[in-house]
Amino acid sequence: VAAGEVLVPDVVLEAAAGISGVVRDGGGSLDHRAIVLVREVGSEGQGLTASTDSSGRFRLTGLRAGAYEVRLVRHGGKL
């Protein structure tokens, strides 16, 4: 791009949603070993997964608007 020239990229933006949060164990402590499973209600697909970080936080983005089922699994078994 030359000085003073304007570059107009070809971009399409789509509306998307996300889910984020903090996972705590039964005693209220942050759980950094959880896997969060998110699947659209009524969907037969596998959905999306995210692992919690060292602070128990997770974030999933790029979800379509709709109702979702959220499940938590701990490494080695259910929470």
Side-chain angles (χ1 to χ4, degrees), residues 56-78:
R57 297 178 194 275
F58 71 93
R59 181 173 181 80
L60 285 161
T61 59
L63 303 173
R64 297 183 305 185
Y68 287 85
E69 173 183 40
V70 178
R71 293 185 182 193
L72 300 172
V73 177
R74 188 166 204 191
H75 292 284
K78 284 198 166 226

Side-chain angles (χ1 to χ4, degrees), residues 1-8:
V1 178
E5 188 177 357
V6 177
L7 178 63
V8 180

Side-chain angles (χ1 to χ4, degrees), residues 18-23 35-41 48-50 58 60 63 66-73 78-79:
I19 296 174
S20 63
V22 176
V23 177
I35 298 173
V36 181
L37 309 168
V38 177
R39 184 173 65 180
E40 196 168 359
V41 172
L48 300 172
T49 63
F58 71 93
L60 285 161
L63 303 173
Y68 287 85
E69 173 183 40
V70 178
R71 293 185 182 193
L72 300 172
V73 177
K78 284 198 166 226
L79 287 177

Side-chain angles (χ1 to χ4, degrees), residues 10-46:
D10 204 8
V11 176
V12 176
L13 299 176
E14 295 183 11
I19 296 174
S20 63
V22 176
V23 177
R24 296 182 183 273
D25 64 16
S29 298
L30 297 172
D31 193 328
H32 63 278
R33 299 184 340 170
I35 298 173
V36 181
L37 309 168
V38 177
R39 184 173 65 180
E40 196 168 359
V41 172
S43 169
E44 295 297 325
Q46 287 186 284

